[in-house]
Amino acid sequence: MSTTTGLEVSPAPLDGAAVRRLTRRATAARAQTTLATRLGDAWGGLVSAAIGVAVAGGSLVSLREEVALAGAPVTGTTLPASLTSAALAVLALAGTVVVLARLGPVSATPAAAAWWLPLPADRRGLLRGELLRLTAAAVAVAVLLTLPLVLGGAPAPTGASVLGGLGWAGSLAAAAVGGTALLQSRRRGRGVADVAGVVAAAAAVLPAVAGTLGAADGRLLDVPTAGALPGWLLGAGTVAALVLIGQADRGLGRLDAGRLLAGGATARYAGASLLSLDTRHLGRALAGRDRPPRRSRRFRRARQPWQAVVAGDLAVLTRGRWQLGQLAVAAAVPVVVARTEGLGALPPAVWAGCLLGWGLAATAAGRPAREAQAAPELDRLFALSAAAVVRSRAVLPLAVTAVVCTLSGLLLGVGTGAAGTWTLLGPAVAPAWAAAALRGACRPDPDWSGPAVSTPMGVLPAGVGATLVQGVDVGVVGSLPLLAALLLGGPTPLLVAVQLAWSLLLAGAVLAQLGRRRTAG
Amino acid sequence: MRNPTGSPHLLVAEGLSVGHGGAPVCAPVDLRLGAGRALAVVGPNGSGKSTLLRTLVGLLEPLAGTVAFDGARVDERAAAFRRDVAAVLDDDAFFVSLTGREHLLLTARGHGVAAPEDVVDAEVAAFGLGERADALPSALSSGQRRRLALAAAFVRPARLLVLDEPERRLDAGMRARLAARLVSLRDAGTAVLFASHDPDVVGTAADEVLVVDDDACRLLAPAEAADRIAEL
């Protein structure tokens, strides 16, 4: 058959699978790796994973033993551990769905978009390998993360309970991939990410509210125990996951190039951020586009340069797609940990819950500063010294962390008889977390030239680690008086005063250091 | 069988508004492009030429209006559309482990081109890639990568060829040869649509010129558009 370009063509060009094979063979022909090196890499990966599972499982066993020996809870515990576990599972699943939806989940690399998609080959055949790889990766990660939980979380794990737990994790992961891919093919990917985000926030907030209401009544929530789930249900779940994958596979032909390319760009950005251990870029990659503004802001109240900085930061924060939900989760996490039966009796666990929650708040509150760090010329727009810009940029994180920490403290104090002191603890610790937000946002890029430390799980770059902890370190150190309060049975006015003084001291030091750094830069 | 509307035009856009996030980047466009005709799109940087081309080939959704190819709504997912339309936009993406020649062979074979090696050899020579065609993309200069991307549009059949600033990163000699190739393609019956800032390429290859602007998008003859192109 002749064409207008003068080329003779066959009536049956290559199909999608053949195009994939052709590309793979051409790539493999040039690959530097041998079978032995691949086997070696696989073995090394397996050993690292096994060590990681063993360490995590051992920590869980140790935690269970500590819970058994623990004394009275710091605050009233009203949430059964099973309820918190279920909420955690929902949170993990919803978070997985959000990430999958952000990545596509099926996507095309820029090269595949440029060279595969314009071919008249069937798109389903071209993309099937991507869907299967993604499913296998999701199942493998889910199984690896669940293994320490099923081994160390139960007093006497049996073969059936371990296999059942792993089966559920694998099925849910496969169903998440299949479901999001199916919705992607029906152009509802963005919607599913939003819904999953709301579910994730609800999974943290609702138990916190329920636990607080229970504390007001002074009783443990009555949750019906379902016992072990029957095997047939796991079988049905697995079949449902396979059906979803099958349906998603059928819908691959409907995926359009623009979205495949956008997903590929996101996946590439996220992958590169992960490999370079730069969590700031990873967050940017997964956060997605901001909400389109309904109207342009006029910033009428910004009459001074510092007010313009604050107003700009506020606009950035409120336009973020996930920030408000993240703040709600941040306030809830310390409450859920403290109100959970067993965990609530361990002051270090409650402290860790506070660090986790308030760290999330600092991450959300630090977003405008991170944006400014990525575009430093914005800071030079105004007639403000570098130190004044840093001080202005601290206003919003301070306000946000103060609200979140105060809310957490208020909810923690319900039913303890010292609600006022608990509530005051929030604003007392907030300056430290606001400083953590700024320090984390303005930290330098990871330094890969530092010394490497050999560990049983492989070589760790110490220079990178020292950079990555910048920000969190101030939050952790700044919350040490809180740990003392928890170990002593609860906050006292003196401890609150110490906490406030310590937070302000650290915050002042961080602001001074950042101001100097920017002036020097 | 094809073109159920019976229109002599291969590509038809009516009241087409293009942009990002609901905001149009230029005035609405009406255009008709038939087989054996060449239309150049000109306009200053940021006027929306690339967005218009991406929308015309189905990579972006129109904000308003319609785009039809061969009488049917444009759907870049359809194999028939991809068989008929070759587009080289502003992408600079390659498989890192495939040589330039392998990229071209993949394209030719994927379109079922008979004697693909011969066709690829001819285009490698025509685009001056020579032995560099056997290098990995990372070892090519940006101009050579551009030549490679353009060559891919010529190793496959197409009824419509869409190019976004094809002269970019090409030397003067290559620009002239490219313009001549576009003319011969057009004369053989292929519809050619390209955005360009180069008055020589536009003057040589285009039958009509679409001037893209915020206020209005107008179709002009190349001679009428010459002054406008010179201003850009």
Side-chain angles (χ1 to χ4, degrees), chain A residues 314-371:
Chain A
L314 185 61
V316 170
L317 184 73
T318 53
R319 279 184 192 161
R321 191 167 280 277
W322 307 104
Q323 266 71 33
L324 295 180
Q326 189 175 335
L327 291 174
V329 173
V333 167
V335 184
V336 171
V337 174
R339 297 293 183 194
T340 297
E341 195 182 17
L343 278 183
L346 296 175
V350 176
W351 188 60
C354 291
L355 297 185
L356 178 63
W358 297 341
L360 276 175
T363 306
R367 190 204 162 179
R370 287 196 297 278
E371 302 277 320

Short mmCIF file of all heavy atoms in Angstrom, two decimals, chain A residues 314-371:
data_model
loop_
_atom_site.label_atom_id
_atom_site.label_comp_id
_atom_site.label_asym_id
_atom_site.label_seq_id
_atom_site.Cartn_x
_atom_site.Cartn_y
_atom_site.Cartn_z
N LEU A 314 0.26 33.20 53.22
CA LEU A 314 -1.09 32.72 53.54
C LEU A 314 -1.79 32.24 52.27
O LEU A 314 -2.47 31.20 52.27
CB LEU A 314 -1.90 33.84 54.21
CG LEU A 314 -3.29 33.44 54.71
CD1 LEU A 314 -3.19 32.36 55.77
CD2 LEU A 314 -4.02 34.66 55.27
N ALA A 315 -1.61 32.98 51.18
CA ALA A 315 -2.23 32.58 49.91
C ALA A 315 -1.68 31.24 49.45
O ALA A 315 -2.42 30.35 49.02
CB ALA A 315 -1.98 33.65 48.84
N VAL A 316 -0.36 31.07 49.58
CA VAL A 316 0.26 29.81 49.16
C VAL A 316 -0.28 28.66 50.01
O VAL A 316 -0.64 27.59 49.50
CB VAL A 316 1.80 29.89 49.30
CG1 VAL A 316 2.43 28.51 49.10
CG2 VAL A 316 2.35 30.87 48.29
N LEU A 317 -0.36 28.89 51.32
CA LEU A 317 -0.81 27.82 52.22
C LEU A 317 -2.25 27.41 51.93
O LEU A 317 -2.57 26.23 51.84
CB LEU A 317 -0.69 28.28 53.68
CG LEU A 317 -1.05 27.21 54.71
CD1 LEU A 317 0.03 26.15 54.78
CD2 LEU A 317 -1.25 27.83 56.09
N THR A 318 -3.12 28.39 51.76
CA THR A 318 -4.54 28.05 51.60
C THR A 318 -4.86 27.50 50.22
O THR A 318 -5.87 26.84 50.04
CB THR A 318 -5.43 29.28 51.86
OG1 THR A 318 -4.97 30.35 51.03
CG2 THR A 318 -5.38 29.70 53.31
N ARG A 319 -3.98 27.74 49.24
CA ARG A 319 -4.24 27.19 47.91
C ARG A 319 -3.70 25.78 47.76
O ARG A 319 -3.97 25.12 46.77
CB ARG A 319 -3.62 28.08 46.84
CG ARG A 319 -4.51 29.24 46.54
CD ARG A 319 -3.99 30.09 45.44
NE ARG A 319 -4.76 31.32 45.42
CZ ARG A 319 -4.38 32.42 44.85
NH1 ARG A 319 -3.23 32.47 44.24
NH2 ARG A 319 -5.13 33.48 44.87
N GLY A 320 -2.94 25.32 48.72
CA GLY A 320 -2.42 23.96 48.67
C GLY A 320 -3.58 22.98 48.72
O GLY A 320 -4.56 23.20 49.43
N ARG A 321 -3.43 21.90 47.96
CA ARG A 321 -4.53 20.94 47.86
C ARG A 321 -4.68 20.14 49.14
O ARG A 321 -5.76 19.68 49.48
CB ARG A 321 -4.25 20.02 46.67
CG ARG A 321 -5.37 19.15 46.26
CD ARG A 321 -5.06 18.55 44.92
NE ARG A 321 -5.32 19.47 43.84
CZ ARG A 321 -6.52 19.69 43.31
NH1 ARG A 321 -7.56 19.03 43.77
NH2 ARG A 321 -6.69 20.54 42.35
N TRP A 322 -3.58 19.89 49.85
CA TRP A 322 -3.62 18.95 50.96
C TRP A 322 -3.35 19.58 52.31
O TRP A 322 -3.48 18.93 53.34
CB TRP A 322 -2.55 17.87 50.73
CG TRP A 322 -2.67 17.21 49.40
CD1 TRP A 322 -1.87 17.43 48.31
CD2 TRP A 322 -3.64 16.27 48.99
NE1 TRP A 322 -2.30 16.67 47.26
CE2 TRP A 322 -3.38 15.94 47.64
CE3 TRP A 322 -4.72 15.66 49.63
CZ2 TRP A 322 -4.14 15.05 46.92
CZ3 TRP A 322 -5.47 14.75 48.91
CH2 TRP A 322 -5.19 14.46 47.58
N GLN A 323 -2.94 20.82 52.35
CA GLN A 323 -2.43 21.39 53.60
C GLN A 323 -3.46 21.38 54.73
O GLN A 323 -3.13 21.04 55.86
CB GLN A 323 -1.93 22.81 53.38
CG GLN A 323 -0.44 22.90 53.10
CD GLN A 323 -0.07 22.37 51.75
OE1 GLN A 323 -0.83 22.47 50.81
NE2 GLN A 323 1.09 21.75 51.65
N LEU A 324 -4.69 21.75 54.42
CA LEU A 324 -5.68 21.86 55.50
C LEU A 324 -5.98 20.48 56.10
O LEU A 324 -6.08 20.31 57.32
CB LEU A 324 -6.95 22.54 55.00
CG LEU A 324 -6.74 24.01 54.56
CD1 LEU A 324 -8.03 24.62 54.06
CD2 LEU A 324 -6.17 24.84 55.70
N GLY A 325 -6.12 19.48 55.22
CA GLY A 325 -6.34 18.11 55.71
C GLY A 325 -5.14 17.63 56.52
O GLY A 325 -5.31 16.97 57.56
N GLN A 326 -3.96 17.99 56.07
CA GLN A 326 -2.75 17.58 56.78
C GLN A 326 -2.73 18.20 58.18
O GLN A 326 -2.32 17.55 59.15
CB GLN A 326 -1.53 18.03 55.98
CG GLN A 326 -0.21 17.49 56.51
CD GLN A 326 0.95 17.87 55.61
OE1 GLN A 326 0.77 18.10 54.41
NE2 GLN A 326 2.15 17.93 56.17
N LEU A 327 -3.18 19.43 58.30
CA LEU A 327 -3.21 20.09 59.61
C LEU A 327 -4.21 19.42 60.54
O LEU A 327 -3.97 19.28 61.75
CB LEU A 327 -3.53 21.58 59.44
CG LEU A 327 -2.42 22.41 58.77
CD1 LEU A 327 -2.88 23.83 58.51
CD2 LEU A 327 -1.16 22.41 59.63
N ALA A 328 -5.35 18.99 59.98
CA ALA A 328 -6.35 18.30 60.80
C ALA A 328 -5.77 16.98 61.32
O ALA A 328 -5.92 16.64 62.50
CB ALA A 328 -7.61 18.04 59.98
N VAL A 329 -5.09 16.25 60.43
CA VAL A 329 -4.46 14.99 60.85
C VAL A 329 -3.38 15.28 61.90
O VAL A 329 -3.25 14.55 62.89
CB VAL A 329 -3.84 14.27 59.62
CG1 VAL A 329 -3.03 13.05 60.06
CG2 VAL A 329 -4.93 13.85 58.66
N ALA A 330 -2.65 16.37 61.69
CA ALA A 330 -1.56 16.72 62.62
C ALA A 330 -2.09 16.94 64.03
O ALA A 330 -1.48 16.50 65.01
CB ALA A 330 -0.86 17.98 62.12
N ALA A 331 -3.23 17.61 64.14
CA ALA A 331 -3.80 17.86 65.47
C ALA A 331 -4.33 16.57 66.08
O ALA A 331 -4.33 16.40 67.31
CB ALA A 331 -4.92 18.90 65.36
N ALA A 332 -4.78 15.63 65.23
CA ALA A 332 -5.45 14.42 65.73
C ALA A 332 -4.47 13.34 66.18
O ALA A 332 -4.76 12.60 67.13
CB ALA A 332 -6.37 13.87 64.64
N VAL A 333 -3.33 13.24 65.49
CA VAL A 333 -2.42 12.10 65.75
C VAL A 333 -2.00 12.00 67.22
O VAL A 333 -2.09 10.91 67.82
CB VAL A 333 -1.20 12.17 64.81
CG1 VAL A 333 -0.10 11.21 65.26
CG2 VAL A 333 -1.62 11.83 63.39
N PRO A 334 -1.55 13.08 67.88
CA PRO A 334 -1.16 12.94 69.29
C PRO A 334 -2.33 12.46 70.16
O PRO A 334 -2.13 11.67 71.09
CB PRO A 334 -0.74 14.37 69.69
CG PRO A 334 -0.44 15.07 68.41
CD PRO A 334 -1.33 14.46 67.39
N VAL A 335 -3.52 12.90 69.83
CA VAL A 335 -4.70 12.53 70.61
C VAL A 335 -4.99 11.05 70.45
O VAL A 335 -5.26 10.34 71.43
CB VAL A 335 -5.92 13.37 70.18
CG1 VAL A 335 -7.12 13.05 71.05
CG2 VAL A 335 -5.59 14.86 70.23
N VAL A 336 -4.91 10.56 69.20
CA VAL A 336 -5.21 9.15 68.96
C VAL A 336 -4.21 8.27 69.70
O VAL A 336 -4.58 7.29 70.35
CB VAL A 336 -5.18 8.85 67.44
CG1 VAL A 336 -5.28 7.35 67.19
CG2 VAL A 336 -6.32 9.58 66.74
N VAL A 337 -2.93 8.62 69.62
CA VAL A 337 -1.90 7.81 70.30
C VAL A 337 -2.13 7.82 71.80
O VAL A 337 -2.12 6.78 72.47
CB VAL A 337 -0.49 8.34 69.97
CG1 VAL A 337 0.57 7.60 70.79
CG2 VAL A 337 -0.20 8.17 68.48
N ALA A 338 -2.38 9.00 72.36
CA ALA A 338 -2.53 9.11 73.81
C ALA A 338 -3.80 8.42 74.31
O ALA A 338 -3.83 7.93 75.44
CB ALA A 338 -2.56 10.58 74.23
N ARG A 339 -4.82 8.37 73.47
CA ARG A 339 -6.09 7.78 73.89
C ARG A 339 -6.19 6.28 73.60
O ARG A 339 -7.18 5.66 73.93
CB ARG A 339 -7.26 8.48 73.18
CG ARG A 339 -7.42 9.96 73.49
CD ARG A 339 -7.83 10.18 74.91
NE ARG A 339 -8.05 11.61 75.20
CZ ARG A 339 -8.15 12.12 76.40
NH1 ARG A 339 -8.02 11.33 77.47
NH2 ARG A 339 -8.36 13.40 76.58
N THR A 340 -5.18 5.72 72.94
CA THR A 340 -5.24 4.30 72.58
C THR A 340 -4.80 3.43 73.75
O THR A 340 -3.75 3.68 74.37
CB THR A 340 -4.37 4.02 71.34
OG1 THR A 340 -4.90 4.74 70.25
CG2 THR A 340 -4.36 2.54 71.01
N GLU A 341 -5.60 2.44 74.00
CA GLU A 341 -5.33 1.50 75.08
C GLU A 341 -3.94 0.88 74.89
O GLU A 341 -3.61 0.42 73.80
CB GLU A 341 -6.38 0.40 75.00
CG GLU A 341 -6.51 -0.46 76.22
CD GLU A 341 -7.56 -1.55 76.00
OE1 GLU A 341 -7.92 -1.80 74.84
OE2 GLU A 341 -7.99 -2.12 76.97
N GLY A 342 -3.13 0.90 75.89
CA GLY A 342 -1.78 0.36 75.79
C GLY A 342 -0.77 1.44 75.45
O GLY A 342 0.07 1.80 76.27
N LEU A 343 -0.89 2.00 74.24
CA LEU A 343 0.06 3.04 73.82
C LEU A 343 0.01 4.24 74.75
O LEU A 343 1.04 4.84 75.08
CB LEU A 343 -0.27 3.51 72.40
CG LEU A 343 0.23 2.69 71.22
CD1 LEU A 343 -0.13 3.38 69.91
CD2 LEU A 343 1.74 2.49 71.31
N GLY A 344 -1.20 4.60 75.18
CA GLY A 344 -1.37 5.78 76.02
C GLY A 344 -0.69 5.66 77.38
O GLY A 344 -0.49 6.66 78.07
N ALA A 345 -0.34 4.43 77.76
CA ALA A 345 0.33 4.24 79.05
C ALA A 345 1.85 4.38 78.92
O ALA A 345 2.57 4.25 79.92
CB ALA A 345 -0.02 2.86 79.60
N LEU A 346 2.34 4.59 77.71
CA LEU A 346 3.79 4.71 77.49
C LEU A 346 4.12 6.16 77.17
O LEU A 346 3.88 6.63 76.05
CB LEU A 346 4.23 3.83 76.33
CG LEU A 346 4.07 2.32 76.48
CD1 LEU A 346 4.44 1.62 75.20
CD2 LEU A 346 4.93 1.81 77.63
N PRO A 347 4.67 6.92 78.12
CA PRO A 347 5.00 8.33 77.83
C PRO A 347 5.85 8.52 76.58
O PRO A 347 5.56 9.43 75.78
CB PRO A 347 5.73 8.78 79.10
CG PRO A 347 5.19 7.90 80.17
CD PRO A 347 4.93 6.58 79.51
N PRO A 348 6.87 7.68 76.32
CA PRO A 348 7.64 7.89 75.08
C PRO A 348 6.78 7.72 73.83
O PRO A 348 7.00 8.40 72.82
CB PRO A 348 8.73 6.81 75.15
CG PRO A 348 8.87 6.50 76.59
CD PRO A 348 7.49 6.62 77.16
N ALA A 349 5.79 6.79 73.89
CA ALA A 349 4.92 6.61 72.72
C ALA A 349 4.05 7.83 72.51
O ALA A 349 3.85 8.28 71.37
CB ALA A 349 4.06 5.36 72.92
N VAL A 350 3.51 8.39 73.59
CA VAL A 350 2.67 9.59 73.47
C VAL A 350 3.53 10.74 72.93
O VAL A 350 3.10 11.52 72.06
CB VAL A 350 2.05 9.96 74.83
CG1 VAL A 350 1.27 11.27 74.73
CG2 VAL A 350 1.14 8.84 75.31
N TRP A 351 4.75 10.83 73.44
CA TRP A 351 5.67 11.89 72.97
C TRP A 351 5.94 11.71 71.48
O TRP A 351 5.90 12.67 70.71
CB TRP A 351 6.98 11.81 73.78
CG TRP A 351 7.92 12.94 73.52
CD1 TRP A 351 7.69 14.26 73.74
CD2 TRP A 351 9.26 12.85 73.02
NE1 TRP A 351 8.80 15.01 73.40
CE2 TRP A 351 9.78 14.16 72.96
CE3 TRP A 351 10.06 11.79 72.64
CZ2 TRP A 351 11.08 14.43 72.52
CZ3 TRP A 351 11.35 12.06 72.20
CH2 TRP A 351 11.85 13.37 72.15
N ALA A 352 6.18 10.44 71.08
CA ALA A 352 6.43 10.18 69.65
C ALA A 352 5.22 10.57 68.82
O ALA A 352 5.35 11.10 67.71
CB ALA A 352 6.78 8.71 69.45
N GLY A 353 4.02 10.31 69.37
CA GLY A 353 2.80 10.71 68.65
C GLY A 353 2.73 12.22 68.48
O GLY A 353 2.35 12.72 67.42
N CYS A 354 3.12 12.94 69.54
CA CYS A 354 3.13 14.41 69.45
C CYS A 354 4.15 14.87 68.41
O CYS A 354 3.88 15.76 67.59
CB CYS A 354 3.47 15.02 70.81
SG CYS A 354 2.19 14.79 72.04
N LEU A 355 5.34 14.24 68.41
CA LEU A 355 6.36 14.62 67.44
C LEU A 355 5.86 14.38 66.01
O LEU A 355 6.05 15.21 65.12
CB LEU A 355 7.65 13.83 67.67
CG LEU A 355 8.37 14.01 69.01
CD1 LEU A 355 9.69 13.23 69.00
CD2 LEU A 355 8.64 15.48 69.28
N LEU A 356 5.21 13.22 65.83
CA LEU A 356 4.73 12.88 64.49
C LEU A 356 3.67 13.88 64.03
O LEU A 356 3.73 14.43 62.92
CB LEU A 356 4.16 11.46 64.50
CG LEU A 356 3.58 10.96 63.19
CD1 LEU A 356 4.64 10.91 62.11
CD2 LEU A 356 2.94 9.57 63.36
N GLY A 357 2.68 14.12 64.90
CA GLY A 357 1.60 15.03 64.53
C GLY A 357 2.09 16.44 64.31
O GLY A 357 1.80 17.06 63.28
N TRP A 358 2.85 16.94 65.24
CA TRP A 358 3.29 18.34 65.13
C TRP A 358 4.36 18.50 64.05
O TRP A 358 4.51 19.57 63.46
CB TRP A 358 3.76 18.84 66.49
CG TRP A 358 2.61 18.81 67.48
CD1 TRP A 358 1.27 18.76 67.17
CD2 TRP A 358 2.68 18.82 68.90
NE1 TRP A 358 0.51 18.74 68.32
CE2 TRP A 358 1.36 18.78 69.40
CE3 TRP A 358 3.74 18.85 69.82
CZ2 TRP A 358 1.06 18.77 70.76
CZ3 TRP A 358 3.45 18.85 71.18
CH2 TRP A 358 2.11 18.81 71.64
N GLY A 359 5.07 17.42 63.77
CA GLY A 359 5.99 17.44 62.63
C GLY A 359 5.22 17.59 61.32
O GLY A 359 5.63 18.32 60.41
N LEU A 360 4.07 16.89 61.25
CA LEU A 360 3.21 17.05 60.06
C LEU A 360 2.73 18.49 59.94
O LEU A 360 2.68 19.06 58.84
CB LEU A 360 1.98 16.13 60.18
CG LEU A 360 2.14 14.68 59.76
CD1 LEU A 360 0.86 13.91 60.08
CD2 LEU A 360 2.44 14.60 58.27
N ALA A 361 2.36 19.07 61.07
CA ALA A 361 1.89 20.46 61.06
C ALA A 361 3.00 21.39 60.59
O ALA A 361 2.78 22.31 59.78
CB ALA A 361 1.42 20.87 62.46
N ALA A 362 4.21 21.14 61.07
CA ALA A 362 5.33 21.99 60.67
C ALA A 362 5.60 21.85 59.17
O ALA A 362 5.93 22.82 58.49
CB ALA A 362 6.58 21.62 61.47
N THR A 363 5.46 20.62 58.66
CA THR A 363 5.68 20.41 57.23
C THR A 363 4.66 21.20 56.41
O THR A 363 5.01 21.83 55.40
CB THR A 363 5.55 18.90 56.90
OG1 THR A 363 6.43 18.19 57.75
CG2 THR A 363 5.92 18.63 55.46
N ALA A 364 3.39 21.16 56.85
CA ALA A 364 2.36 21.92 56.12
C ALA A 364 2.61 23.41 56.25
O ALA A 364 2.55 24.16 55.26
CB ALA A 364 0.98 21.56 56.66
N ALA A 365 2.91 23.85 57.46
CA ALA A 365 3.09 25.29 57.69
C ALA A 365 4.33 25.83 56.99
O ALA A 365 4.41 27.01 56.69
CB ALA A 365 3.18 25.55 59.19
N GLY A 366 5.29 24.95 56.74
CA GLY A 366 6.53 25.40 56.11
C GLY A 366 6.47 25.46 54.60
O GLY A 366 7.44 25.83 53.96
N ARG A 367 5.34 25.10 54.03
CA ARG A 367 5.26 25.06 52.57
C ARG A 367 5.59 26.41 51.91
O ARG A 367 6.37 26.46 50.96
CB ARG A 367 3.88 24.58 52.13
CG ARG A 367 3.88 24.30 50.65
CD ARG A 367 2.53 24.38 50.02
NE ARG A 367 2.72 24.51 48.58
CZ ARG A 367 1.73 24.58 47.73
NH1 ARG A 367 0.51 24.54 48.15
NH2 ARG A 367 1.96 24.73 46.47
N PRO A 368 5.00 27.53 52.38
CA PRO A 368 5.36 28.80 51.73
C PRO A 368 6.85 29.08 51.82
O PRO A 368 7.45 29.58 50.86
CB PRO A 368 4.54 29.83 52.53
CG PRO A 368 3.41 29.06 53.11
CD PRO A 368 3.97 27.72 53.41
N ALA A 369 7.46 28.75 52.95
CA ALA A 369 8.90 28.98 53.07
C ALA A 369 9.68 28.09 52.11
O ALA A 369 10.70 28.50 51.55
CB ALA A 369 9.34 28.73 54.51
N ARG A 370 9.19 26.86 51.91
CA ARG A 370 9.86 25.98 50.95
C ARG A 370 9.77 26.54 49.54
O ARG A 370 10.71 26.46 48.77
CB ARG A 370 9.24 24.57 51.00
CG ARG A 370 9.60 23.77 52.23
CD ARG A 370 9.31 22.29 52.06
NE ARG A 370 7.89 22.00 51.86
CZ ARG A 370 7.00 21.90 52.81
NH1 ARG A 370 7.36 22.07 54.07
NH2 ARG A 370 5.74 21.63 52.56
N GLU A 371 8.57 27.06 49.22
CA GLU A 371 8.41 27.66 47.89
C GLU A 371 9.38 28.84 47.72
O GLU A 371 9.99 29.02 46.68
CB GLU A 371 6.98 28.18 47.70
CG GLU A 371 5.92 27.11 47.87
CD GLU A 371 5.72 26.31 46.61
OE1 GLU A 371 5.74 26.91 45.54
OE2 GLU A 371 5.57 25.08 46.72
#
